[in-house]
Amino acid sequence: MTVFNSPYFDGHELVAFKHDARSGLRAIVAVHNSNLGPALGGCRMYPYANDDCALDDVLRLSRSMTYKSALAGLPLGGGKAVIMGDPSKNKSRDLLLAMGRFIEDLGGRYITAEDSGTTVADLKIIAESSSYVSGVLDGGRHGGDPSPYTAEGVFHGIKAALKFKHGSADLADVHVAIQGAGAVGRHLISLLILEGARVFAADINTRNCELARLAGAHIIACDEILGFAADVLAPCAMGAAINADTVEIIQAGIVAGAANNQLANAAQGERLRQRGIIYAPDFMINAGGIIDVYYQRAEGSSASTSAHIAGIAASLTEVFERSAASGVSTAAVAEGMAEERFLLGKHTKVA
Ligand code: NAI
């Protein structure tokens, strides 16, 4: 394992490793950039095949948090933590407390939150041994779960893209295809249907298909969703949904969904632009969760959280306009805007 030669090392400020013999904890925290504030990002627990996979993941994810928070106008840097292990087998109270001590030892340079493989209940245990934990408030509309806020941001982003492409954000009879009816996807279905959209959803999990159907979506096959003839495609499952093969079959004029790392690589962003498809960069449109987590820590009101999330629409519109004017993909434009903010330390609140 080499940190500095990893393909995902990008001038990260801090990479810290922890082993706790008693609980079996093996974890890595990465702080990518803290120019705008302390690094905030989730703590993922996953049975990585080896140390290199865990390191690559934490380097990649912490970098994207820097971009996400900068574009969301939050006074935060980018960080992430990974725990190596199977959450269904290796998670224990002792392990989570040891993780908390690890985070506490970093003195506030990294603030943790929920991520895949960890729950709000786990975060509450981590918070027993660290004060640098966010997203554990019982109050608020959703009791610490960020996914409804992420869905809210995606909903605003879809409307911004419709307005930019068609001149109207009206969702009545707009057809939206959603890949992945999990926590975010299902909230998104409800928000869209409330405003009159027709929603088509696919999920590999039959129970989640059933829940999506109950929420009002029409269920279609997983291998048909990306090429489905809809107005909007919302990838809300796993990363790299848009790759060299799938980018050519997309029929929707807008791609706007929650999944992280939707583009397999930058070439797909450019290909979408060439095909005249408006792509809402994932690290902008899915910032609702981090905005909620930030306000929970700052003890902001639910009104300020919602107002800030609604501001994602204006930021995305700026990206669409700059992309159209420059002929550069929306993803590249958004990365440039983020760098303007965190490299120059310019903090611009979006709402
Ligand atoms: P989830 O795990 O609750 O839902 C994902 C769903 O996708 C599951 O129902 C799964 O069965 C389905 N799925 C997986 N592969 C599929 C495939 N090939 N075709 C169709 N369905 C498939 O996850 P959640 O929380 O809803 O997140 C969705 C995406 O959004 C993830 O990429 C996540 O990283 C990203 N995200 C989530 C945030 C949150 O607040 N939960 C915040 C920012 C990003």
Side-chain angles (χ1 to χ4, degrees):
M1 178 201 281
T2 59
V3 176
F4 299 124
N5 291 328
S6 161
Y8 299 104
F9 180 76
D10 179 47
H12 288 67
E13 291 175 10
L14 172 85
V15 184
F17 296 80
K18 176 73 180 176
H19 174 240
D20 178 67
R22 203 166 78 93
S23 65
L25 174 73
R26 285 184 304 146
I28 314 174
V29 167
V31 171
H32 174 249
N33 184 288
S34 60
N35 284 359
L36 295 177
L40 195 151
C43 175
R44 176 169 289 192
M45 184 165 185
Y46 188 78
Y48 292 100
N50 54 48
D51 299 0
D52 286 329
C53 294
L55 177 67
D56 287 350
D57 209 27
V58 78
L59 291 175
R60 190 175 54 87
L61 293 166
S62 56
R63 178 183 185 273
S64 58
M65 289 310 297
T66 301
Y67 284 78
K68 185 179 294 196
S69 286
L71 286 164
L74 295 170
L76 295 172
K80 206 83 182 184
V82 295
I83 298 175
M84 298 177 67
D86 185 336
S88 65
K89 292 186 193 139
N90 309 118
K91 202 190 281 176
S92 67
R93 183 177 160 76
D94 275 354
L95 179 138
L96 295 168
L97 288 171
M99 188 65 198
R101 288 193 297 277
F102 176 28
I103 292 165
E104 187 67 16
D105 285 347
L106 297 173
R109 296 193 66 189
Y110 167 68
I111 301 167
T112 200
E114 183 195 355
D115 204 274
S116 58
T118 59
T119 64
V120 172
D122 297 334
L123 267 290
K124 285 183 179 173
I125 297 173
I126 293 176
E128 289 179 33
S129 53
S130 176
S131 47
Y132 304 115
V133 180
S134 194
V136 289
L137 284 188
D138 286 323
R141 279 183 290 160
H142 303 293
D145 174 10
S147 46
Y149 296 97
T150 302
E152 206 171 300
V154 174
F155 174 72
H156 288 300
I158 287 174
K159 290 180 64 156
L162 285 168
K163 178 98 175 46
F164 181 78
K165 194 170 176 78
H166 304 298
S168 165
D170 188 356
L171 278 162
D173 284 328
V174 168
H175 291 203
V176 183
I178 301 183
Q179 183 195 42
V184 177
R186 288 202 302 277
H187 286 290
L188 182 60
I189 291 169
S190 302
L191 293 171
L192 291 166
I193 285 177
L194 263 178
E195 291 213 4
R198 289 197 67 198
V199 180
F200 303 82
D203 201 297
I204 50 172
N205 177 319
T206 49
R207 184 169 169 273
N208 286 351
C209 284
E210 181 55 17
L211 292 171
R213 196 184 61 74
L214 291 173
H218 304 270
I219 305 304
I220 61 170
C222 283
D223 58 1
E224 285 175 22
I225 194 79
L226 294 174
F228 192 75
D231 302 294
V232 180
L233 170 66
C236 295
M238 308 312 279
I242 301 163
N243 51 47
D245 297 330
T246 58
V247 73
E248 303 300 339
I249 63 165
I250 293 170
Q251 293 196 58
I254 292 169
V255 175
N260 280 314
N261 305 312
Q262 283 167 43
L263 306 178
N265 59 52
Q268 271 76 59
E270 174 55 15
R271 182 66 189 133
L272 288 174
R273 189 194 68 79
Q274 288 167 355
R275 293 196 56 213
I277 298 170
I278 304 285
Y279 170 64
D282 47 25
F283 50 91
M284 292 187 80
I285 194 170
N286 71 13
I290 187 81
I291 293 171
D292 164 51
V293 165
Y294 166 74
Y295 278 99
Q296 281 196 40
R297 191 162 171 85
E299 291 177 13
S301 67
S302 122
S304 40
T305 309
S306 284
H308 200 133
I309 291 172
I312 288 173
S315 301
L316 278 172
T317 302
E318 185 181 346
V319 167
F320 299 149
E321 286 169 353
R322 284 202 200 189
S323 169
S326 62
V328 172
S329 75
T330 53
V333 166
E335 289 214 354
M337 274 167 62
E339 285 160 8
E340 279 170 23
R341 294 181 187 180
F342 73 81
L343 292 178
L344 304 177
K346 277 193 215 157
H347 170 56
T348 323
K349 198 166 183 295
V350 293

